[in-house]
Amino acid sequence: MTVSLEQLQRCHVAVDLGAARTRVYVKGLGLVVDEPSVAAVNTRTGSLIAVGALAEQMTGRTPAYIRVARPVSGGSVVDIEMAQRMLRHLLGDKLRRQLRRKPRLRAAACTPHEADPLARRATVETLVGLGARRVELVDTLIAAAVGCGLPVEQPTATMIMVCGAATTQIAVLSLGSIVTALRIPVGGNAIDDAVVQHLRQHHELMLPSQSVRPLQLALHGNGLQLTGPARTEIHGRDVATGLARSVQVDTAAVRTAIHAPLTAVLDGVGRVLRDCPPDLVADLADRGVMMVGGSALLPGLDQMLRDATGMPVHIAERPDTCAVLGLGAMLDGKVQPMALNQMAG
């Protein structure tokens, strides 16, 4: 860990700015914000109309003068000013006043593995703009591992896979730090796009953006496995005429379309295991992989991993909030570093 646990225990607030959702943990209060990372802006006046779930519902349904913005992309802030405005509104006046009373407000934030300096700086500036005097950055992989209860500080290997909306991060951890890790630019959004493109090419049907995720769950019956209904009825808009139309979709074909982006994830798992010392791989054969992140709940993804690696695969109890709850546990002092007595010599 680059940041010491003592520094983190001095922080008052922990923030996980994700491409899909923003979560805020306040010391003593717990998880206070868990909303989509979306803001709707009136382009004529520049005023903010809605943030979070309400703004997400507006996606694809607004008049020309309302812009739905996503200030976070791929786990890093791409629009600092918009991210600050969104966070202010999500926190609300009462909570902001409470945080302002702290004489030296300190914040902790998750950053993707090997985030470039610009992305790290954007995260820091976003929180400094909200009044934080100091910002500590923690690798999402370590925060998520702590949040789902993995024994991160022990000298045994633990493998974690953070399945986000824009990226998938895979790592092997031991003794509180990352032994080997990889970030792949494939996440839940890529899987959604694969479904949309399949329906457009093979059925000339355009799907509303809101209905992709429910469609996946309906299609899979029992996940990405070959069970469940053979055909499913889908409603959308005809590409040529623009009229509403429903088609019977062959679920096996959609399953094949989803497999394409997931092969990159499976390759990534193989690469991480190849780079890992043999002793740690032996630990992993028993312990397996822990999946966290919103896309970990994609039905059947865990079974695909089991088949590809031959290792046990577990999904965390609350996979979507593991990273911010892990940061919260560090803030509250619940994580103790392994005491290594210096040997005199």
Side-chain angles (χ1 to χ4, degrees), residues 169-307:
Q169 301 172 66
I170 307 158
V172 175
L173 310 171
S174 180
L175 281 173
S177 56
I178 294 168
V179 179
T180 172
L182 188 65
R183 184 158 65 128
I184 305 159
V186 173
N189 293 349
I191 295 161
D192 292 353
D193 292 345
V195 174
V196 171
Q197 287 303 321
H198 171 81
L199 291 172
R200 194 180 177 124
Q201 285 169 7
H202 296 273
H203 299 279
E204 295 185 350
L205 195 74
M206 281 175 76
L207 271 189
S209 56
Q210 310 280 325
S211 66
V212 178
R213 192 47 57 90
L215 159 67
Q216 286 179 8
L217 302 180
L219 277 177
H220 302 146
N222 193 12
L224 300 175
Q225 307 313 304
L226 301 175
T227 53
R231 302 187 77 75
T232 306
E233 191 176 19
I234 303 298
H235 306 284
R237 193 179 85 186
D238 190 287
V239 172
T241 64
L243 299 174
R245 181 164 73 90
S246 59
V247 293
Q248 290 284 333
V249 176
D250 178 20
T251 51
V254 176
R255 212 174 281 122
T256 309
I258 290 172
H259 269 278
L262 289 179
T263 48
V265 175
L266 297 177
D267 290 348
V269 173
R271 277 165 59 194
V272 168
L273 288 170
R274 280 197 297 277
D275 293 345
C276 196
D279 291 359
L280 294 180
V281 176
D283 287 350
L284 294 174
D286 304 328
R287 307 185 71 100
V289 186
M290 178 66 83
M291 289 172 66
V292 302
S295 302
L297 295 169
L298 184 69
L301 181 54
D302 52 338
Q303 190 57 49
M304 261 185 84
L305 262 178
R306 275 188 206 105
D307 297 342

Side-chain angles (χ1 to χ4, degrees), residues 4-332:
S4 73
L5 287 166
E6 290 85 49
Q7 285 171 309
L8 285 171
Q9 282 168 26
R10 294 193 199 117
C11 293
H12 307 100
V13 60
V15 180
D16 178 13
L17 280 167
R21 294 183 82 86
T22 293
R23 300 180 177 92
V24 180
Y25 183 103
V26 175
K27 204 173 191 171
L29 293 176
L31 191 62
V32 292
V33 173
D34 184 359
E35 292 273 344
S37 306
V38 190
V41 189
N42 183 331
T43 52
R44 291 174 185 167
T45 62
S47 60
L48 210 57
I49 295 167
V51 292
L54 184 59
E56 191 173 50
Q57 285 171 8
M58 294 181 181
T59 307
R61 296 192 170 104
T62 58
Y65 67 90
I66 293 177
R67 180 171 71 93
V68 177
R70 292 182 175 270
V72 186
S73 171
S76 47
V77 178
V78 287
D79 185 338
I80 295 172
E81 189 199 350
M82 188 59 70
Q84 287 174 352
R85 290 174 73 183
M86 180 184 78
L87 266 173
R88 271 192 211 109
H89 280 265
L90 288 175
L91 283 169
D93 294 336
K94 187 182 167 196
L95 200 56
R96 284 215 322 277
R97 277 199 300 272
Q98 213 172 324
L99 291 173
R100 256 194 232 119
R101 288 196 200 107
K102 311 264 188 230
R104 286 186 62 78
L105 180 66
R106 285 170 174 246
C110 293
T111 54
H113 180 64
E114 288 183 343
D116 60 73
L118 276 175
R120 296 166 75 88
R121 187 175 162 190
T123 305
V124 170
E125 279 186 25
T126 302
L127 296 178
V128 166
L130 288 174
R133 295 294 180 86
R134 188 181 169 117
V135 180
E136 309 289 1
L137 298 179
V138 178
D139 197 305
T140 304
L141 289 161
I142 290 178
V146 170
C148 63
L150 290 176
V152 183
E153 299 295 333
Q154 299 304 314
T156 53
T158 47
M159 188 170 189
I160 189 161
M161 184 166 155
V162 180
C163 312
T167 57
T168 300
Q169 301 172 66
I170 307 158
V172 175
L173 310 171
S174 180
L175 281 173
S177 56
I178 294 168
V179 179
T180 172
L182 188 65
R183 184 158 65 128
I184 305 159
V186 173
N189 293 349
I191 295 161
D192 292 353
D193 292 345
V195 174
V196 171
Q197 287 303 321
H198 171 81
L199 291 172
R200 194 180 177 124
Q201 285 169 7
H202 296 273
H203 299 279
E204 295 185 350
L205 195 74
M206 281 175 76
L207 271 189
S209 56
Q210 310 280 325
S211 66
V212 178
R213 192 47 57 90
L215 159 67
Q216 286 179 8
L217 302 180
L219 277 177
H220 302 146
N222 193 12
L224 300 175
Q225 307 313 304
L226 301 175
T227 53
R231 302 187 77 75
T232 306
E233 191 176 19
I234 303 298
H235 306 284
R237 193 179 85 186
D238 190 287
V239 172
T241 64
L243 299 174
R245 181 164 73 90
S246 59
V247 293
Q248 290 284 333
V249 176
D250 178 20
T251 51
V254 176
R255 212 174 281 122
T256 309
I258 290 172
H259 269 278
L262 289 179
T263 48
V265 175
L266 297 177
D267 290 348
V269 173
R271 277 165 59 194
V272 168
L273 288 170
R274 280 197 297 277
D275 293 345
C276 196
D279 291 359
L280 294 180
V281 176
D283 287 350
L284 294 174
D286 304 328
R287 307 185 71 100
V289 186
M290 178 66 83
M291 289 172 66
V292 302
S295 302
L297 295 169
L298 184 69
L301 181 54
D302 52 338
Q303 190 57 49
M304 261 185 84
L305 262 178
R306 275 188 206 105
D307 297 342
T309 61
M311 295 194 304
V313 176
H314 317 281
I315 299 177
E317 201 174 314
R318 293 179 62 190
D320 45 349
T321 55
C322 278
V324 75
L325 292 178
L327 269 184
M330 293 181 205
L331 261 62
D332 293 339

